[in-house]
């Protein structure tokens, strides 16, 4: 990429990003609330002060006004009072269960874990300080003890265990999800919700590990929040409070259906599948045209993830363009239109498959197979052995923070 003349500008911006996480404000990039068209628009010290006083407010998202709910609305003391009579039964201890459970515990709430006794998740929970018989139980017992049942099992496991879980969701309890998959696609999952309970959703926009990491750094992940069924009239309030309790910095409201559509679509598109496909295509062309593995990887992945993507995250695409050379900028603007026109039909096909349940059917069928873990590991091994990622391992070892003294 012809961005070398702007290397100093890019490095300066990266140095800004390297400042302590508690000084940074991820909300700035999402809302565009403080940008003034200047590369100096984001001022960490001011942002930190703002973060402590923000509350519910209406934000203009590119001309559309939306209400957002923020951590400042629910300080720890208020959370403890609000949930003083509740037992949060968190079912499943995978990525989200781990992150959300530990954050709830650190916030002082009465949270218990429900998993299969002596399984891998049970043993991991013990390593994290959960105590059998005190706050670690088998699934049925945890649900019986809980007033708020947080179903964080995998989508396939939710479908498989629903016949056993549903009878325990008695009147007065609340059912919590972090993904709208099961109730939205109930014709496939068979997850039919009882009509006499509140059903809510908090969906962190990141892995459970990220939820935990940002919480420990004093920050907070952004999450979507939704209500599927409101029996008490307090379902939204309860969802927002739980969203803050599990580690959200701010929450925006959506529906179960929109959450699951956007989530499945995004994972298969720009967030994971699409970006991996683009990495592979660009890398392979460079190699086929005679470029070395190190050069192909650096121009495809390393410069993107270490230099340019962080600039987009901090201040947007125009800021990233401004940090690059005029040659790079011209070519990027021209070719982005070609890529959009080429890829948009693929993205429309993807959305159609999400909306009609094809992707759900594929996931349930594959992930319900008794040998799915072995098949998944085989696929991961194939990815690990791709030349691009073997070259990447060598490139990462050369980063200053990884180089041996």
């Amino acid at each position: 990429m012809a961005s070398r003349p702007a290397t100093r500008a890019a490095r300066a911006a990266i140095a800004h990003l390297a400042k302590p996480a508690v000084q940074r404000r991820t909300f700035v990039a999402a809302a565009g609330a403080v940008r003034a068209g200047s590369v100096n628009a984001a001022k960490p010290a001011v942002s930190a002060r703002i973060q402590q006083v923000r509350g519910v407010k209406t934000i203009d998202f590119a001309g559309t006004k939306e209400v957002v709910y923020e951590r400042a609305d629910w300080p720890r003391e208020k959370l403890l009072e609000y949930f003083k009579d509740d037992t949060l039964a968190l079912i499943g201890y995978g990525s989200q269960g781990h992150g959300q459970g530990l954050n709830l515990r650190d916030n002082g709430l009465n949270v218990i874990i429900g998993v299969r006794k002596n399984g891998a998740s049970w043993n991991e929970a013990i390593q994290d300080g959960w105590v059998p018989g005190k706050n670690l139980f088998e699934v049925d017992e945890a649900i019986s003890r809980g007033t708020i049942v947080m179903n964080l099992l995998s989508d396939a496991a939710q479908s498989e265990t629903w016949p056993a879980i549903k009878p325990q969701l008695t009147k007065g309890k609340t059912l919590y999800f972090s993904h709208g998959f099961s109730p939205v696609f109930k014709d496939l999952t068979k997850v039919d919700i009882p009509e006499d309970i509140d059903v809510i959703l908090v969906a962190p926009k990141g892995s459970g590990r990220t939820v935990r990491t940002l919480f420990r750094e004093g920050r907070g992940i952004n999450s979507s929040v939704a209500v599927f069924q409101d029996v008490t009239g307090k379902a939204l309030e309860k969802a927002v409070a739980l969203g803050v309790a599990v580690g959200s910095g701010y929450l925006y409201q959506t529906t179960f259906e929109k959450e699951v559509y956007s989530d499945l679509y995004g994972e298969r598109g720009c967030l994971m599948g699409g970006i991996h496909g683009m990495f592979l295509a660009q890398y392979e062309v460079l190699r086929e045209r005679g470029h070395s593995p190190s050069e192909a990887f650096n121009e495809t992945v390393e410069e993107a993830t270490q230099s340019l993507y962080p600039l987009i995250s901090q201040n947007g695409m125009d800021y990233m363009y401004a940090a690059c050379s005029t040659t790079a900028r011209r070519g990027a603007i021209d070719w982005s239109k070609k890529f959009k026109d080429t890829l948009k039909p693929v993205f429309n096909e993807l959305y159609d498959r999400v909306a009609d349940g094809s992707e759900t059917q594929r996931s349930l069928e594959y992930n319900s197979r008794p040998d799915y873990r072995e098949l998944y590991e085989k696929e991961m091994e194939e990815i690990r052995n791709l030349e691009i990622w073997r070259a990447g391992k060598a490139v990462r070892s050369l980063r200053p923070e990884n180089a041996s003294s």
Side-chain angles (χ1 to χ4, degrees), residues 26-103:
T26 56
F27 186 73
V28 173
V34 299
R35 290 191 60 209
S38 166
V39 296
N40 296 317
K43 298 179 181 179
V46 173
S47 296
R49 290 197 298 271
I50 292 175
Q51 189 176 39
Q52 301 307 311
V53 299
R54 295 201 312 256
V56 174
K57 59 179 60 175
T58 300
I59 298 293
D60 188 328
F61 289 88
T64 299
K65 293 183 178 180
E66 299 181 35
V67 172
V68 295
Y69 304 89
E70 304 185 79
R71 179 170 50 192
D73 303 315
W74 290 91
R76 189 169 183 269
E77 296 75 17
K78 185 177 178 181
L79 289 174
L80 292 174
E81 175 62 25
Y82 190 82
F83 293 111
K84 65 181 180 180
D85 297 324
D86 285 303
T87 296
L88 312 180
L90 193 154
I91 310 305
Y93 202 66
S95 176
Q96 285 295 336
H98 168 273
Q100 294 190 36
L102 291 177
N103 291 353

Side-chain angles (χ1 to χ4, degrees), residues 18 31 33 95 100 136 148 168 178 184 262 273 317-318 327 337 340 345 364 372:
S95 176
Q100 294 190 36
L136 177 60
I148 299 176
Q168 299 183 73
S178 279
V184 170
S262 62
M317 187 65 71
D318 57 331
T327 301
K337 297 174 183 176
K340 189 200 80 168
L364 288 173
Y372 93 94

Side-chain angles (χ1 to χ4, degrees), residues 149 151-167 169 175-195 197 199-200 228-229 256 360 364:
V149 178
N151 193 340
L152 297 183
L153 294 167
S154 70
D155 295 323
Q158 287 187 19
S159 181
E160 293 168 3
T161 59
W162 186 248
I165 290 177
K166 181 182 176 181
L169 299 174
L175 179 59
Y176 168 107
F177 293 98
S178 279
H179 192 19
F181 187 98
S182 293
V184 170
F185 294 109
K186 65 180 181 180
D187 290 343
L188 295 171
T189 64
K190 309 305 179 186
V191 175
D192 53 329
I193 304 296
E195 297 180 355
I197 62 172
V199 183
I200 60 178
F228 188 81
Q229 193 164 272
F256 270 59
T360 298
L364 288 173

Side-chain angles (χ1 to χ4, degrees), residues 247-281:
S248 304
Y250 83 93
L251 302 102
Y252 59 91
Q253 192 170 353
T254 184
T255 67
F256 270 59
E257 185 175 78
K258 288 180 180 177
E259 186 281 329
V260 71
Y261 283 11
S262 62
D263 192 69
L264 295 178
Y265 174 76
E267 290 167 348
R268 287 151 178 74
C270 289
L271 299 181
M272 296 171 66
I275 199 67
H276 191 203
M278 287 190 68
F279 281 161
L280 293 176

Side-chain angles (χ1 to χ4, degrees), residues 1 6 8 13 15 21 33 94 96 99 116 123 133 195 231 237 267 269 273 295 307 332 360 365 367 381 402:
M1 177 178 177
R8 291 182 179 178
Q96 285 295 336
R116 181 171 57 86
N123 294 330
E195 297 180 355
V231 174
E237 178 183 70
E267 290 167 348
E295 184 170 55
S307 176
T360 298
E365 289 178 352
N367 295 330
E381 187 64 20
N402 295 333

Side-chain angles (χ1 to χ4, degrees), residues 164-371:
I165 290 177
K166 181 182 176 181
Q168 299 183 73
L169 299 174
T170 52
K171 185 176 181 179
K173 293 197 175 188
T174 296
L175 179 59
Y176 168 107
F177 293 98
S178 279
H179 192 19
F181 187 98
S182 293
V184 170
F185 294 109
K186 65 180 181 180
D187 290 343
L188 295 171
T189 64
K190 309 305 179 186
V191 175
D192 53 329
I193 304 296
E195 297 180 355
D196 56 356
I197 62 172
D198 285 349
V199 183
I200 60 178
L201 172 146
V202 174
K205 298 296 102 178
S207 73
R209 304 293 171 174
T210 307
V211 171
R212 179 62 176 163
T213 298
L214 294 182
F215 176 85
R216 297 187 69 178
E217 290 177 355
R219 301 161 67 191
I221 198 165
N222 71 81
S223 303
S224 56
V225 61
V227 173
F228 188 81
Q229 193 164 272
D230 186 2
V231 174
T232 64
K234 297 182 178 180
L236 178 59
E237 178 183 70
K238 198 183 311 180
V240 172
L242 274 172
V244 173
V246 301
S248 304
Y250 83 93
L251 302 102
Y252 59 91
Q253 192 170 353
T254 184
T255 67
F256 270 59
E257 185 175 78
K258 288 180 180 177
E259 186 281 329
V260 71
Y261 283 11
S262 62
D263 192 69
L264 295 178
Y265 174 76
E267 290 167 348
R268 287 151 178 74
C270 289
L271 299 181
M272 296 171 66
I275 199 67
H276 191 203
M278 287 190 68
F279 281 161
L280 293 176
Q282 177 166 309
Y283 180 90
E284 289 175 7
V285 168
L286 285 170
R287 292 289 287 123
E288 290 162 3
R289 300 297 182 108
H291 296 265
S292 68
S294 63
E295 184 170 55
F297 185 85
N298 276 306
E299 291 295 338
T300 299
V301 179
E302 190 75 352
E303 186 169 354
T305 59
Q306 297 300 296
S307 176
L308 301 182
Y309 291 174
L311 300 184
I312 300 171
S313 173
Q314 183 68 10
N315 281 305
M317 187 65 71
D318 57 331
Y319 182 85
M320 186 273 285
Y321 280 158
C324 296
S325 70
T326 55
T327 301
R329 197 180 309 152
R330 180 70 268 141
I333 293 172
D334 290 343
W335 278 88
S336 68
K337 297 174 183 176
K338 294 178 184 291
F339 277 109
K340 189 200 80 168
D341 292 343
T342 301
L343 291 173
K344 191 170 180 180
V346 178
F347 277 96
N348 267 312
E349 178 187 356
L350 169 57
Y351 195 93
D352 287 341
R353 284 183 55 83
V354 168
D356 69 16
S358 298
E359 290 300 309
T360 298
Q361 184 70 43
R362 161 70 173 159
S363 295
L364 288 173
E365 289 178 352
Y366 186 89
N367 295 330
S368 296
R369 293 179 55 159
D371 60 345

